[in-house]
Amino acid sequence: MLKLSKIGEIEVVLHRPIPDGFEIKQATILVKADGWYCSFSLEDKTVPDTLSIDEITTVTGIDVGLEKFLTTADGQSIEVPQYYRSSQSKLARQQRKLARKVKGSNNHSKQSNKVAKLHLHVARQRKEFHYHVAHWLVNSYDLIVFETLNIRGLARTRLAKSILDVAWGTFLEIMQAVAVKRGKLTLGVDPRGTSINCSSCGERVEKTMAVRVHSCSCGLVIDRDWNAALNLLKRGSVGLPIPGCGGLGDTQPTKQQVSFVNLRCSR
């Protein structure tokens, strides 16, 4: 039973117990397509202190994109799941059924709820994927350097549907929250020039979005997203006493060789 002020006692399904030592600070009542929910805000006094600079041993930069969801500075990439696009045909079919219903009728209300449940399912798939990736990154690295993007501006372009489907902004918020909970560090840097500048020699290599390989006169030929991730790492690790960050040019890859991390969600 959940007892709320000014409402009284409500019968609820408690999907997980309140952890020992946690203090309930706030309760928020939410209504979604598949029912009512009560979300608790808890105070966790066991959150570890953030790592100091001297304690950092592993660091990476991440470049997000539409062809690959993200690429790390050590060449690992994660594919874009495209949950919304994969559900478009099913969603369009349900929306056509909704358009044939009389507004205000019970059938219209039922069909509208079916459409809303489909959108909710896609949102939950995307959120679970974001948490999987965030936990993988935080478990693997002590410091994660990411690019601060103007996502609202990007969402006004012709790629708006794909950009909103990957939801970079939501992912970066989740990643930073997971990092704080684990005592790890994240750092946002300006992404300007990271795709154009060579991560090995610093020379500008102009290229269009269609060109997916960075090829420089210094001999470096790698995936453009990998090159951008290396530039982000360099930019974010300036002045930090981290082994290997000052001499990234000595350990640059010499050919395009990107490995893929397979993260699959249960939904």
Side-chain angles (χ1 to χ4, degrees):
M1 300 296 292
L2 175 65
K3 187 175 182 180
L4 299 171
S5 59
K6 300 181 181 180
I7 296 178
E9 292 185 346
I10 303 174
E11 200 171 317
V12 297
V13 177
L14 189 64
H15 77 290
R16 76 175 72 166
I18 304 298
D20 294 334
F22 284 54
E23 185 179 350
I24 299 177
K25 290 293 185 179
Q26 186 180 18
T28 304
I29 306 299
L30 306 169
V31 59
K32 298 184 179 181
D34 58 349
W36 290 81
Y37 292 83
C38 181
S39 175
F40 293 113
S41 296
L42 309 175
E43 181 182 4
D44 181 8
K45 298 179 181 179
T46 64
V47 174
D49 295 330
T50 304
L51 287 175
S52 65
I53 299 298
D54 298 331
E55 294 176 312
I56 297 175
T57 57
T58 54
V59 59
T60 193
I62 59 171
D63 177 75
V64 296
L66 296 178
E67 186 175 291
K68 294 183 286 290
F69 180 71
L70 65 81
T71 304
T72 65
D74 51 5
Q76 297 188 90
S77 296
I78 297 174
E79 296 175 343
V80 175
Q82 293 186 331
Y83 292 117
Y84 178 75
R85 286 191 178 276
S86 61
S87 301
Q88 268 190 303
S89 58
K90 188 175 182 180
L91 184 60
R93 186 165 57 253
Q94 295 299 328
Q95 286 175 325
R96 286 194 296 270
K97 290 182 179 180
L98 177 63
R100 292 194 289 266
K101 307 296 181 185
V102 179
K103 288 186 178 181
S105 66
N106 287 335
N107 286 337
H108 185 277
S109 178
K110 290 178 182 178
Q111 187 60 32
S112 177
N113 185 252
K114 286 183 179 180
V115 174
K117 282 184 176 180
L118 270 176
H119 281 291
L120 182 62
H121 177 67
V122 171
R124 284 172 172 169
Q125 282 182 306
R126 187 185 296 117
K127 185 177 181 180
E128 186 176 14
F129 171 75
H130 286 166
Y131 269 103
H132 273 282
V133 178
H135 279 286
W136 170 71
L137 284 172
V138 172
N139 286 337
S140 303
Y141 307 100
D142 295 332
L143 170 62
I144 303 166
V145 182
F146 63 93
E147 49 189 334
T148 54
L149 299 169
N150 179 15
I151 297 173
R152 285 189 176 182
L154 293 170
R156 297 191 187 102
T157 65
R158 60 186 179 85
L159 299 174
K161 185 181 291 186
S162 297
I163 290 170
L164 294 174
D165 191 13
V166 293
W168 294 324
T170 303
F171 165 72
L172 293 175
E173 288 179 2
I174 289 173
M175 183 189 70
Q176 292 175 80
V178 172
V180 169
K181 189 174 180 180
R182 301 286 186 87
K184 301 295 184 69
L185 297 168
T186 58
L187 176 64
V189 297
D190 187 354
R192 284 181 292 184
T194 53
S195 294
I196 297 174
N197 298 335
C198 179
S199 57
S200 180
C201 65
E203 182 182 346
R204 288 178 65 86
V205 182
E206 300 290 345
K207 58 179 83 73
T208 63
M209 288 298 296
V211 179
R212 304 311 305 172
V213 177
H214 170 82
S215 179
C216 182
S217 58
C218 70
L220 180 65
V221 181
I222 58 172
D223 181 86
R224 67 175 289 157
D225 296 334
W226 190 355
N227 178 70
L230 286 167
N231 280 325
L232 289 167
L233 175 57
K234 278 188 172 182
R235 193 169 293 182
S237 58
V238 172
L240 299 181
I242 303 171
C245 285
L248 283 173
D250 301 330
T251 58
Q252 287 287 349
T254 57
K255 62 179 180 178
Q256 184 183 4
Q257 182 181 3
V258 180
S259 59
F260 287 86
V261 179
N262 293 317
L263 294 175
R264 293 290 180 263
C265 300
S266 57
R267 295 176 186 170

